[in-house]
Amino acid sequence: MVLLQIARQLQDLGSLGGILYWESPPAAKCQGLPWVRAGEAAMKAGDTYVVPEGWPNALVLGLKRGCRTIVYCQNWSYLFHGLEPGIHWRDLPVEFLAVSDPVAWHMEQVLGKQPPIIRPALDTRLFHPPASKPGGTLRIGFMPRKNKALAEQIRRIFEERNPRAGVEWIPIHGLDRPGVAEALRSCHVFLVTGFPEGCPLPPLEAMACGCLCVGFTGFGGWDYMRQVEPHGYAPHGYALRDVPWGGNGWWSADGDVLGVVVGLERAVQALPQGSAILAQMAQTVATYGTDDQLGEIVAALPQGKTVR
């Protein structure tokens, strides 16, 4: 989805030469973009060729033609995915982009140079708060596909510690994006169980829909995640970038299920007077718009013909 966002931005700038596909043409929802079969791409020296991490064999198309070849890393944990043993990034004539500040920091530690950043853009026309949250039973949304077993542990521990708490657990799964937005608007709290992550969008979408957020950061989430608790968990070695917002969630180390449960309990306690946290969430969301992404694209990529 983020690759398509960037492609559309480049198309609007007049800088998109094409988007390569390998096995079959794109789905109908992706029409309106210049799709090109990889074997038929007319790339040449001077073009810029952007490839997502995890597909190192695809780099050959650009390298053979003398293109400026860039690896766009959307998840730090996949930086070496698919790279054959004995092959090192330092020996390849490629450049890099990162999806977030934590990913860029990680790549600097590994590769010796910090790459430019292009972040995802949040669709606030789709993801926005409701006029009011539902009354009655507390609704906690979560995505089962994100570390399902840990999500179940968190639920069991929470219910064991809070036997009188009336909670409805809302699995958000198998929905299209409008369906996800509607589900998030119906929830009071969003449980974040995904890791590792590059710049996770679901917590941002949940914030945009007015959910208090609790859970894991995946490391990449530290691009925007900030602790409500003044002495909460912080990542080791990585200094958080300066941002204009404050605490926007209760964040725990990846895999720390008991820490997440404690965060859930504190989020539930904060719900009746959570307006200050909601304001920080809104400020967070406001900096991940299409215009913000466009500025990063213009800074990171040349305005010539670009082929992905």
Side-chain angles (χ1 to χ4, degrees):
M1 186 187 72
V2 177
L3 292 172
L4 289 175
Q5 287 180 348
I6 295 172
R8 291 190 173 98
Q9 296 267 34
L10 289 169
Q11 186 179 42
D12 291 343
L13 290 167
S15 298
L16 181 66
I19 309 176
L20 304 190
Y21 68 92
W22 301 95
E23 296 179 356
S24 59
K29 65 180 180 180
C30 298
Q31 297 296 336
L33 291 166
W35 296 92
V36 181
R37 189 179 296 275
E40 301 171 359
M43 296 188 296
K44 62 184 183 301
D47 287 340
T48 298
Y49 179 47
V50 181
V51 178
E53 93 289 317
W55 298 90
N57 290 340
L59 298 171
V60 175
L61 288 173
L63 296 177
K64 281 187 173 179
R65 291 168 172 80
C67 298
R68 179 193 180 196
T69 303
I70 301 176
V71 176
Y72 180 41
C73 186
Q74 294 190 73
N75 194 320
W76 58 270
S77 68
Y78 294 145
L79 180 58
F80 290 94
H81 184 75
L83 201 64
E84 293 292 333
I87 304 298
H88 301 279
W89 282 123
R90 63 175 177 265
D91 297 327
L92 299 177
V94 298
E95 301 174 44
F96 295 91
L97 289 170
V99 75
S100 68
D101 189 74
V103 172
W105 177 87
H106 174 85
M107 294 171 74
E108 182 181 22
Q109 308 312 303
V110 174
L111 305 174
K113 185 178 180 180
Q114 190 171 56
I117 297 169
I118 298 178
R119 295 177 173 85
L122 182 64
D123 185 355
T124 53
R125 296 170 300 177
L126 184 60
F127 294 95
H128 57 81
S132 62
K133 290 287 183 176
T137 304
L138 173 70
R139 292 168 62 90
I140 300 177
F142 69 102
M143 293 186 171
R145 66 184 177 88
K146 299 277 191 177
N147 294 313
K148 183 177 181 180
L150 295 182
E152 177 63 11
Q153 282 195 54
I154 291 166
R155 183 184 71 81
R156 293 293 298 269
I157 294 170
F158 181 89
E159 292 177 346
E160 196 75 22
R161 284 166 56 95
N162 302 275
R164 297 182 180 178
V167 175
E168 185 176 1
W169 300 85
I170 309 299
I172 301 174
H173 182 69
L175 302 173
D176 59 12
R177 289 181 63 71
V180 170
E182 284 296 323
L184 288 171
R185 277 190 284 274
S186 77
C187 294
H188 304 93
V189 176
F190 181 64
L191 171 61
V192 185
T193 56
F195 68 85
E197 298 280 4
C199 190
L201 266 175
L204 272 176
E205 293 167 348
M207 288 184 194
C209 292
C211 300
L212 299 187
C213 289
V214 180
F216 308 136
T217 73
F219 184 59
W222 288 115
D223 196 70
Y224 60 84
M225 294 174 177
R226 297 295 182 268
Q227 290 285 16
V228 169
E229 304 289 339
H231 301 293
Y233 162 73
H236 176 73
Y238 168 68
L240 300 179
R241 69 186 179 109
D242 291 333
V243 294
W245 58 87
N248 54 21
W250 290 260
W251 310 111
S252 297
D254 296 343
D256 179 6
V257 292
L258 184 55
V260 172
V261 170
V262 172
L264 275 176
E265 292 169 349
R266 292 178 177 174
V268 171
Q269 293 170 0
L271 274 172
Q273 65 275 1
S275 58
I277 301 169
L278 292 174
Q280 301 306 317
M281 289 162 39
Q283 195 169 6
T284 306
V285 167
T287 63
Y288 284 81
T290 300
D291 289 343
D292 300 283
Q293 184 188 66
L294 178 61
E296 292 174 344
I297 290 171
V298 170
L301 295 173
Q303 301 311 296
K305 290 297 182 183
T306 299
V307 178
R308 176 171 290 110

